[in-house]
Amino acid sequence: APRPLRPPSGVREREKCETRARSQSGPRDRQAGFASGRRRQLRGLKRYRRGRRSVNSMAETEASVEAPPAAVDPRPEPPLGEASIAEVSNGAMRDDSADGPGTPAPATPKKQSILDASPAVDVDESERERDESPGAVALFDLDHTIIDTNSSWHWVQHEVNNGKVGFGMLMTALYWFSRYALGLGAGAERAGAEAAELYAGEMEDDLNERVATFFRKELSHRVRPGCKEVMARHKADGVRCVMCTSSWQHPARAAAALYGLESAHKDVISSVMEVDQSTGRLTGRIQKVAYGDGKHAVTKEWAERANVDLAKCWFYTDSFSDVALLEAVGFPVAVNPDARLRKHAQERGWPVEDWGLAEDKSKKPRYAYACLTMKGSSQGPG
């Protein structure tokens, strides 16, 4: 059979080159097509905008041409001293005044606008009620409310390193702190009674000084940012800020003085360790427990003594264990609450606020907690 005719070699090479060029330039051609299409769209959009501007300008020109001239009142101006009809109808002349008829009335003062006369739009109802409630008090819980941590747990660690607290008491504290964090602290009075026995015979003034030094060195930087703002607003409105905590009187007084609350002993609401007044030493017994319903009872006793109406008071706390006092005050506020308090506050319609965490939590302890042993450590933080 005869062989098929093939095109000349030059033609074959040209076809190969064209095929190779199409395969290599295809994507670029597509990109160029997209770019050209985009340019056409932009040119069309510019033409559309120019057309709209020209139409608007023509409409404004026609409106200005067709507008009728203002009507001119054909009546002559009244002579000097006589009132016009409009002035008489508006009551601008007083015929019965002491100056006689034809005397102009004094200018009416300009009415103050609503925005000038009324308070700021974003002022809430609670702030208005605060201004109308002289003698009101804002009560602040300490742990996890004013500060973002539990001061009692830090104190236990401090005392372990001082050799004051042993391993057994440390485990007991861990158990109760865990229950408190879950809002299940009922029965913590027993742990408090055991802790109070550790300080039997110690001079109260010495313990006050140790606790104040501890708070100043270890916890002064743990205040929640939102607490500072709320406390400053209350003070600006003349509202008293009072500590109301389940802690003993010594940390409560130290924290009140450090964080800017009222620091007089009679105006600090807390649990109380009994003191022998004749010797000034702690007896190791509990005098008052401001926990759970006990906090409500202690606060109510303080309010009656200080002539304070709880219905005009705020109470800021994080724990469900304080629900009895929250129900008793006029303005309960849940601050970074535990799960049980958050649910209860939502059901009751109480405000739930997030005061944030301390801005500076980078402070390093001045001693290692590796010495949390059964016997503690003979060296304290100094």
Side-chain angles (χ1 to χ4, degrees):
R3 293 187 301 172
L5 295 177
R6 294 187 301 172
S9 60
V11 176
R12 291 200 303 272
E13 292 297 331
R14 186 170 57 252
E15 291 177 350
K16 290 180 181 180
C17 291
E18 291 176 355
T19 303
R20 190 181 304 112
R22 282 195 299 272
S23 64
Q24 293 177 356
S25 61
R28 287 196 295 270
D29 292 342
R30 286 195 295 271
Q31 292 176 2
F34 294 153
S36 62
R38 179 60 178 167
R39 285 194 294 271
R40 286 195 299 272
Q41 291 178 356
L42 292 176
R43 285 196 296 270
L45 180 60
K46 290 180 181 178
R47 287 196 297 270
Y48 170 75
R49 288 177 177 173
R50 284 198 298 269
R52 287 292 301 272
R53 282 197 296 268
S54 62
V55 170
N56 292 338
S57 62
M58 292 174 59
E60 292 176 358
T61 304
E62 294 175 358
S64 61
V65 171
E66 296 176 359
V72 179
D73 191 356
R75 294 174 297 180
E77 290 292 332
L80 185 64
E82 297 183 6
S84 64
I85 297 175
E87 290 174 340
V88 172
S89 61
N90 292 333
M93 301 297 295
R94 294 184 303 164
D95 293 339
D96 54 348
S97 64
D99 297 331
T103 303
T108 304
K110 183 181 178 181
K111 292 184 179 180
Q112 193 176 17
S113 65
I114 296 176
L115 293 178
D116 295 335
S118 61
V121 177
D122 57 348
V123 175
D124 56 19
E125 294 297 330
S126 63
E127 290 181 352
R128 296 194 185 97
E129 294 177 3
R130 172 169 57 247
D131 297 336
E132 300 171 358
S133 303
V137 175
L139 305 171
F140 291 83
D141 179 46
L142 175 58
D143 296 326
H144 295 292
T145 304
I146 295 179
I147 57 179
D148 62 357
T149 186
N150 191 310
S151 62
S152 298
W153 171 238
H154 288 272
W155 176 254
V156 168
Q157 293 174 325
H158 171 85
E159 292 293 83
V160 168
N161 285 273
N162 274 341
K164 189 76 175 181
V165 173
F167 183 77
M169 180 58 67
L170 176 63
M171 293 297 102
T172 301
L174 278 172
Y175 171 74
W176 286 111
F177 289 144
S178 301
R179 287 181 59 86
Y180 178 83
L182 297 173
L184 303 171
E189 298 85 353
R190 296 193 302 273
E194 295 179 11
E197 294 175 357
L198 297 175
Y199 298 94
E202 183 170 353
M203 294 295 296
E204 185 185 28
D205 292 341
D206 294 342
L207 183 58
N208 280 328
E209 184 177 355
R210 288 204 299 127
V211 172
T213 302
F214 165 78
F215 265 84
R216 186 175 63 254
K217 291 184 177 181
E218 303 295 329
L219 296 175
S220 60
H221 62 294
R222 300 301 295 267
V223 184
R224 292 187 185 273
C227 178
K228 298 178 183 179
E229 299 173 3
V230 171
M231 200 176 297
R233 187 172 69 243
H234 279 308
K235 290 181 179 179
D237 293 333
V239 178
R240 300 171 59 190
C241 296
V242 173
M243 177 69 71
C244 183
T245 177
S246 301
S247 301
W248 303 115
Q249 69 266 37
H250 315 101
R253 294 168 184 171
L258 180 63
Y259 302 134
L261 293 88
E262 297 192 9
S263 56
H265 291 183
K266 63 182 181 63
D267 291 323
V268 175
I269 304 171
S270 66
S271 300
V272 178
M273 296 170 67
E274 188 181 61
V275 179
D276 187 347
Q277 300 300 328
S278 61
T279 61
R281 296 182 180 275
L282 298 167
T283 64
R285 293 188 293 271
I286 299 176
Q287 184 175 340
K288 294 180 182 178
V289 176
Y291 183 83
D293 293 341
K295 179 180 279 191
H296 177 213
V298 172
T299 305
K300 184 178 179 182
E301 178 185 345
W302 170 85
E304 293 174 352
R305 185 174 64 252
N307 194 24
V308 171
D309 185 4
L310 289 180
K312 297 180 179 180
C313 293
W314 288 258
F315 180 41
Y316 301 92
T317 185
D318 70 294
S319 177
F320 183 79
S321 63
D322 296 330
V323 69
L325 182 55
L326 286 167
E327 296 282 359
V329 299
F331 307 102
V333 182
V335 177
N336 297 86
D338 57 47
R340 296 181 67 194
L341 179 57
R342 182 180 296 276
K343 180 181 178 181
H344 187 79
Q346 292 172 349
E347 293 174 352
R348 299 283 288 144
W350 296 342
V352 177
E353 298 183 0
D354 184 354
W355 284 0
L357 299 175
E359 298 172 357
D360 179 15
K361 298 180 66 175
S362 61
K363 182 179 183 300
K364 302 298 183 183
R366 290 170 291 108
Y367 50 91
Y369 290 130
C371 56
L372 292 178
T373 60
M374 196 164 185
K375 294 183 179 180
S377 171
S378 59
Q379 298 297 326

